[in-house]
Amino acid sequence: MRSKSHSSRESAIPAEPIDLDMTPMMNMLIILISFLVTMVVFTHLAVIKFSLPPGQGNAAADTSTAPKGAEVDITVLVSEEGYRIIGEGRKLDPIPKNKGQYDLPTLGKYLQKLKEEFATAETVVLLIDTSVIYQDVISTMDQCRESKFPKILLSGGFE
Amino acid sequence: MSLKRRKTTEAIKPQMTSLVDVLTVLVFFLLKNFSTEGDILTPSKNLELPVSTAIARPEKVLTISISRENILADGQAIASVGEEAARKDINIPALAEWLIEQRKNTEEIAQYDANVSFKGDLVIQGDKQIPYWLLQKVLHTCGENGYGSFSLAVLQKNDG
């Protein structure tokens, strides 16, 4: 309003810069920040759910459980050397470790191929060597899930 | 003197804009990491969880933690990894004992409360460096005692 009525004069005398009162804004932001800092979570925890096969209560994860009925039997061997997929009585080429790391992309490709071949297959049995560390087990399970095999059974020989 | 002082007080105008900018960015960053659910699961000490792409949320159930030195049941150390490595047996007696006790407790409560029932749910927090045989021992012990539904606790990858 004011600036409009004085528009003719403004060109001659430069208008004083408008002072925004930032104090309430700052107060609000600081309170908001302290509130958010107390509620913030930097590590998001999640869980991977899996069950022992029903009726196998006594035989735990160490028993290799053949998927029942029409399910296709796909087993991924996880050993110190790398992966090896055994499916339907066939053995696919072994997937050796790449620079000391498990070759997850190649495993994904192989599983993808198997998925195309057996579209209904959902179960993968992981046969894991006893010395494989937990992070590799989890990564392998992740890769299986990404390759659309949501049912993962853990298995392994106990020495 | 008095004139001079008045001049200086007039001259000082704190630049708030940049400060507000910083605070606004901070607010957005914190909002992004904001969690309304709180922590249902607290990671145990001396334990580094593996990283995973899993997104399922944890539930409040019994927790077994496997660190590099100990096996803990609800925060209490009940077995040592070194001893378990030496013993060539797939069961962990101390853990089995604890699991049976917990099961008994739950079933006793279930007699009086229809909302409580024994489902055999467990959350397992494992250090990412533990070998598979240790996990297998724990899983076997749990399976033998009627706990058949596991949740493996993991850290969510940040790209999602």
Side-chain angles (χ1 to χ4, degrees):
Chain A
M1 276 273 285
R2 218 172 145 210
S3 62
K4 251 185 192 172
S5 55
H6 294 285
S7 58
S8 54
R9 252 206 278 171
E10 248 177 74
S11 51
I13 308 157
E16 275 200 6
I18 304 161
D19 256 337
L20 268 183
D21 189 8
M22 284 299 202
T23 326
M25 171 87 167
M26 295 290 290
N27 287 341
M28 192 202 70
L29 280 178
I30 284 167
I31 290 168
L32 200 61
I33 281 172
S34 49
F35 168 71
L36 287 172
V37 161
T38 58
M39 298 292 252
V40 80
V41 173
F42 290 103
T43 50
H44 287 273
L45 286 179
V47 291
I48 300 174
K49 287 196 176 171
F50 79 99
S51 309
L52 296 181
Q56 295 268 336
N58 288 328
D62 61 312
T63 6
S64 177
T65 39
K68 32 190 159 48
E71 280 277 358
V72 188
D73 164 30
I74 297 165
T75 308
V76 180
L77 240 86
V78 189
S79 69
E80 286 285 287
E81 284 82 45
Y83 294 120
R84 174 147 211 174
I85 300 177
I86 305 169
E88 288 295 282
R90 284 183 301 172
K91 273 189 183 181
L92 300 182
D93 295 334
I95 308 165
K97 275 187 178 177
N98 190 6
K99 289 173 198 151
Q101 294 290 315
Y102 283 98
D103 196 350
L104 288 167
T106 316
L107 177 71
K109 261 181 237 159
Y110 276 56
L111 286 174
Q112 205 74 50
K113 261 185 230 160
L114 280 170
K115 187 75 193 177
E116 280 162 21
E117 206 172 322
F118 311 101
T120 53
E122 285 194 324
T123 315
V124 166
V125 179
L126 294 182
L127 199 67
I128 305 165
D129 202 81
T130 48
S131 53
V132 175
I133 63 164
Y134 190 39
Q135 173 71 69
D136 292 331
V137 177
I138 296 290
S139 311
T140 311
M141 288 170 93
D142 280 348
Q143 188 59 57
C144 291
R145 223 160 350 96
E146 270 164 38
S147 310
K148 310 247 166 52
F149 287 98
K151 289 181 194 162
I152 301 160
L153 299 176
L154 288 181
S155 155
F158 190 80
E159 287 159 66
Chain B
M1 190 65 195
S2 64
L3 192 85
K4 203 180 177 186
R5 179 172 283 168
R6 197 190 292 160
K7 243 186 186 170
T8 46
T9 43
E10 255 176 36
I12 293 172
K13 262 180 204 155
Q15 249 307 332
M16 294 295 237
T17 321
S18 49
L19 199 56
V20 170
D21 283 355
V22 167
L23 286 177
T24 312
V25 169
L26 205 60
V27 162
F28 278 114
F29 168 73
L30 290 172
L31 269 178
K32 199 189 148 281
N33 287 338
F34 183 72
S35 156
T36 47
E37 288 168 33
D39 269 353
I40 298 166
L41 206 63
T42 340
S44 307
K45 288 174 203 162
N46 312 321
L47 198 92
E48 244 180 278
L49 291 175
V51 181
S52 164
T53 52
I55 46 166
R57 305 295 306 164
E59 286 161 31
K60 181 80 196 130
V61 281
L62 295 177
T63 310
I64 293 174
S65 313
I66 314 166
S67 73
R68 279 173 226 191
E69 282 99 33
N70 289 303
I71 298 167
L72 302 100
D74 264 357
Q76 299 277 319
I78 53 168
S80 110
V81 169
E83 278 170 30
E84 290 308 321
R87 226 162 34 79
K88 292 276 172 218
D89 181 15
I90 195 160
N91 275 310
I92 304 168
L95 179 63
E97 218 170 89
W98 183 81
L99 286 170
I100 290 166
E101 198 183 307
Q102 295 300 320
R103 184 180 182 164
K104 265 190 200 155
N105 287 348
T106 317
E107 280 171 346
E108 207 169 298
I109 295 166
Q111 287 179 352
Y112 304 104
D113 188 350
N115 296 326
V116 180
S117 67
F118 177 77
K119 295 192 198 77
D121 289 344
L122 276 176
V123 171
I124 295 178
Q125 300 183 357
D127 188 280
K128 62 179 177 187
Q129 293 296 330
I130 60 165
Y132 181 65
W133 62 261
L134 187 57
L135 181 72
Q136 205 185 348
K137 263 190 169 188
V138 172
L139 289 182
H140 182 95
T141 312
C142 298
E144 274 209 329
N145 291 293
Y147 292 82
S149 168
F150 303 103
S151 304
L152 300 175
V154 287
L155 286 183
Q156 217 169 311
K157 256 183 198 165
N158 277 331
D159 50 68

